[in-house]
Amino acid sequence: MQDLIDFIAQYSTYFSLIGVALLSFFVSLPKDLNPLSAIELIFKQIAVKVNLDERSDGYKRLASLLSISLIYFPSMLIISQLYNIVYQPITIDILILFLLLSWHDKKQVYLQISHALKRNNLAQAKFKLASLTERDTKPLSLMGINKATIESMVLQLCASWFAVIFWYMLTGIYGALFYRTVQICAQTWNAKKNEFTALTSIPSFIYSALLFPVHILISFTFSLYDEPVKNIPKKFKQSLLWHHFSSGLMLSSFALSMQLELGGVRLYQNKKITYATLGCHSAPAIDKIELSLQRLSLSAWFWLFCFSGYTFFPLLIELMTF
């Protein structure tokens, strides 16, 4: 028994990650009970206090940095003290990761959108989609809802699951917590809203920088379902026309792997913006929403499989030498 405990302690990072990642596929904490909702509320209240017309842009940028620090450093201090009082530190990692990861809750919403479209209930589908995207959903056609849902699904699950996994593997629980704090800040003060242009400039830049390596890795993951070498020039050409290179590369890789078209015209606060077209010229049908979710799930399993191989490969080599 002691040997098992020692083995789990030695690979605590692996077991905490795998356990919570698998749990996130099937269970999610209600939003009202998740402390992350409180963090989002705090950022909203900060915006009310500091995002005033009479405040200078420099003041707002400084306030944004102080706001992130106000949330992150006390949280980090609390977690560090909890490590000193629990019997097994792995329990803290499991709890924090469970709060940070988000898959099952968003999966349910996208499935509800798909089911509403299958019943030809466009109004309900638009209502559900509006809770996950900043774009105006009311003018969307059936094809527009399909495209917007798939784009949102890829971007949301990348930002709320793959990115948390990546930064936890790279920097541990504190890095994952910092990423999630910046993400909530950048999404609460969304750059697509004109009133947050100055306040969110620094958080949005940090958020984009943290997502850059994640987008690149996921792009190569999606390429495994396609012809990776053949489509490289097309993916890079399309992503260069996108407003963010890394997210454009990821969406282009996904669209080509699914043989569908993403991008195009959308509305933000009644303002028409034309984005580049990604993928191939094939409008996504309703069934592509659930197929896209399956593709993302397979990619998530692939990441966990690779992490398992990376963790235990040295151990296997050591065992084979005896």
Side-chain angles (χ1 to χ4, degrees):
M1 185 64 181
Q2 186 60 40
D3 291 340
L4 178 61
I5 294 176
D6 293 340
F7 180 78
I8 293 176
Q10 182 181 358
Y11 293 98
S12 60
T13 300
Y14 170 80
F15 286 109
S16 58
L17 175 63
I18 294 296
V20 181
L22 294 177
L23 185 64
S24 69
F25 292 155
F26 308 102
V27 180
S28 59
L29 194 66
K31 186 174 182 180
D32 294 339
L33 299 178
N34 196 320
L36 296 183
S37 299
I39 295 177
E40 181 181 348
L41 182 60
I42 291 173
F43 280 126
K44 287 181 179 179
Q45 292 303 313
I46 290 174
V48 173
K49 297 294 184 180
V50 304
N51 194 37
L52 305 175
D53 293 338
E54 58 267 26
R55 304 291 190 184
S56 66
D57 290 349
Y59 173 88
K60 293 177 182 179
R61 295 188 185 98
L62 178 60
S64 67
L65 285 176
L66 293 176
S67 299
I68 294 175
S69 301
L70 178 66
I71 300 297
Y72 176 69
F73 288 111
S75 301
M76 185 178 68
L77 180 61
I78 293 172
I79 293 172
S80 66
Q81 295 306 308
L82 288 175
Y83 279 128
N84 296 325
I85 62 176
V86 297
Y87 174 67
Q88 288 293 339
I90 189 176
T91 57
I92 301 299
D93 282 9
I94 290 174
L95 176 61
I96 301 300
L97 265 178
F98 179 69
L99 297 177
L100 297 180
L101 287 175
S102 176
W103 184 285
H104 180 263
D105 54 342
K106 289 182 170 57
K107 170 188 172 183
Q108 294 306 307
V109 179
Y110 290 118
L111 288 177
Q112 290 170 5
I113 295 173
S114 177
H115 295 158
L117 292 175
K118 290 178 180 178
R119 298 193 305 269
N120 202 30
N121 191 343
L122 298 187
Q124 184 181 9
K126 292 177 182 181
F127 176 76
K128 293 291 184 180
L129 180 60
S131 66
L132 295 169
T133 181
E134 291 296 328
R135 71 173 66 183
D136 297 336
T137 59
K138 290 183 179 179
L140 292 176
S141 62
L142 175 60
M143 183 188 71
I145 296 174
N146 294 338
K147 292 175 65 175
T149 301
I150 294 173
E151 282 183 29
S152 173
M153 185 190 305
V154 177
L155 292 170
Q156 288 279 353
L157 290 180
C158 166
S160 60
W161 195 89
F162 287 95
V164 174
I165 294 290
F166 174 84
W167 286 110
Y168 178 75
M169 289 191 296
L170 196 65
T171 62
I173 199 66
Y174 296 124
L177 177 63
F178 177 75
Y179 163 77
R180 204 72 160 91
T181 303
V182 172
Q183 182 205 21
I184 295 173
C185 179
Q187 291 185 343
T188 303
W189 306 337
N190 199 290
K192 294 183 177 68
K193 296 181 178 180
N194 296 329
E195 62 267 28
F196 294 130
T197 300
L199 185 63
T200 195
S201 57
I202 295 179
S204 294
F205 175 79
I206 299 173
Y207 181 47
S208 298
L210 292 174
L211 276 178
F212 185 88
V214 183
H215 286 162
I216 300 301
L217 284 177
I218 297 179
S219 300
F220 286 113
T221 305
F222 293 151
S223 297
L224 299 176
Y225 303 97
D226 192 22
E227 299 176 330
V229 177
K230 178 181 178 181
N231 286 324
I232 285 178
K234 187 173 184 179
K235 293 173 185 177
F236 274 86
K237 182 179 179 180
Q238 291 180 349
S239 59
L240 288 173
L241 299 175
W242 198 251
H243 60 294
H244 290 300
F245 171 79
S246 62
S247 61
L249 183 63
M250 179 183 66
L251 288 172
S252 178
S253 297
F254 185 83
L256 287 169
S257 71
M258 293 293 296
Q259 291 298 298
L260 51 82
E261 178 185 294
L262 298 176
V265 180
R266 68 277 314 276
L267 292 175
Y268 292 106
Q269 296 181 323
N270 296 320
K271 182 179 179 182
K272 183 178 178 181
I273 300 177
T274 302
Y275 285 172
T277 300
L278 304 175
C280 57
H281 299 290
S282 177
I286 296 174
D287 64 308
K288 289 291 187 179
I289 295 176
E290 294 190 20
L291 290 175
S292 297
L293 183 58
Q294 293 175 11
R295 177 62 52 82
L296 286 164
S297 298
L298 287 174
S299 300
W301 281 100
F302 177 76
W303 271 42
L304 296 180
F305 176 80
C306 290
F307 182 53
S308 299
Y310 173 79
T311 302
F312 293 112
F313 183 74
L315 180 62
L316 292 175
I317 294 298
E318 182 179 345
L319 291 174
M320 291 173 62
T321 57
F322 285 101

